[in-house]
Amino acid sequence: QVQLVESGGGLVQAGGSLRLSCAASGRTSSNYAMGWFRQAPGKEREFVAAIDWIGSSTAYADSVKGRFAISRDNVKITAYLQMNSLLPEDTAVYYCAAKLYVTSHLQTSYRYWGQGTQVTVSS
């Protein structure tokens, strides 16, 4: 069993930055790819970014390319999402998730999920 805990959310003005963290604990393994998803009010949860278990391959949703950057620290078993040039439409609950090895944009391929952290971007 793997537990994921997100942190770093908050309220920021449009154009600002936030860095989200996702710390893994439990029967952890560095073999897990990490993904970030988000769910805005009244909308379905959507893929944001993912990084493979080595940290050599990343994937991004078109809506965040060039603004967000995903990274990981395999010593701390923590994934990060650096969010720059934030827009009001980035407002959502952000979730991290874990799956073995390679990245995926499919929610159903992720086995473990965190509880989420709220990000609110004011205009």
Side-chain angles (χ1 to χ4, degrees):
Q1 191 73 11
V2 175
Q3 292 80 44
L4 303 174
V5 178
E6 303 95 336
S7 62
L11 173 64
V12 64
Q13 287 188 331
S17 299
L18 281 175
R19 189 177 83 153
L20 305 183
S21 299
C22 175
S25 62
R27 295 184 64 181
T28 57
S29 167
S30 59
N31 292 343
Y32 285 101
M34 305 292 286
W36 286 97
F37 294 79
R38 67 186 182 186
Q39 186 167 22
K43 295 187 177 181
E44 295 185 351
R45 190 161 57 184
E46 64 177 4
F47 170 75
V48 175
I51 188 167
D52 71 352
W53 68 290
I54 298 175
S56 62
S57 177
T58 58
Y60 295 93
D62 288 343
S63 59
V64 306
K65 280 182 182 176
R67 300 189 298 121
F68 290 11
I70 189 170
S71 61
R72 66 185 298 150
D73 182 332
N74 279 349
V75 174
K76 297 180 179 179
I77 316 181
T78 299
Y80 304 97
L81 185 68
Q82 178 66 44
M83 305 186 295
N84 300 323
S85 302
L86 283 161
L87 304 169
E89 48 263 46
D90 294 318
T91 295
V93 177
Y94 283 71
Y95 299 89
C96 73
K99 65 178 295 294
L100 286 174
Y101 300 121
V102 299
T103 64
S104 173
H105 67 282
L106 298 175
Q107 298 182 48
T108 53
S109 65
Y110 287 81
R111 181 173 182 182
Y112 300 106
W113 289 82
Q115 293 300 307
T117 185
Q118 176 70 46
V119 171
T120 303
V121 184
S122 63
S123 58

